[in-house]
Amino acid sequence: MGVAKMKQSIQADAMRRAWAIFRQTYNFPAIKFSDIGRKCFAWALRQAWVEAREAARVAALSPAAKADGIETLQSLISRAGYIDSGPQWKATVAAHRDEIRQLQTV
């Protein structure tokens, strides 16, 4: 696969993901696009590119780096019990678990 074809594929995947984010977040097409606006779709497109870059970053990690990252995140989760605020604790643990899931799947 040439570089141009690969670039088109990555762009097409990002656009598909952007539309999926847009539909999920803004209840499109139940709500008309003209009521939602281009700025909202631009936000969804930026989110899709953020996800694509993060997936590429995780895919580039070596298995040893992934194992180290998982171990570090698990120790951070065990130390999260010292957080006084319930909502902050929940958000911290959820973020760490999401990152562990990402490292394990790719």
Side-chain angles (χ1 to χ4, degrees):
M1 178 182 263
V3 175
K5 288 281 187 189
M6 189 168 63
K7 185 177 178 183
Q8 287 175 345
S9 173
I10 292 169
Q11 289 174 342
D13 290 344
M15 188 61 77
R16 275 192 288 278
R17 181 64 185 133
W19 277 108
I21 292 170
F22 186 74
R23 282 190 296 272
Q24 180 183 3
T25 305
Y26 297 104
N27 197 19
F28 178 78
I31 300 173
K32 295 187 308 184
F33 187 88
S34 60
D35 292 341
I36 300 169
R38 288 184 180 186
K39 289 183 180 181
C40 294
F41 183 75
W43 171 85
L45 189 56
R46 282 191 303 273
Q47 288 300 112
W49 278 109
V50 165
E51 290 177 9
R53 282 191 297 274
E54 181 63 17
R57 182 192 69 81
V58 171
L61 292 175
S62 68
K66 288 179 185 179
D68 289 343
I70 290 171
E71 185 179 324
T72 302
L73 289 166
Q74 287 173 340
S75 69
L76 289 172
I77 288 173
S78 67
R79 292 183 190 140
Y82 295 107
I83 297 174
D84 291 335
S85 170
Q88 185 181 2
W89 172 84
K90 186 176 180 179
T92 301
V93 170
H96 292 328
R97 286 185 180 152
D98 286 343
E99 194 167 346
I100 288 172
R101 229 175 281 117
Q102 257 187 339
L103 290 171
Q104 288 173 339
T105 59
V106 177

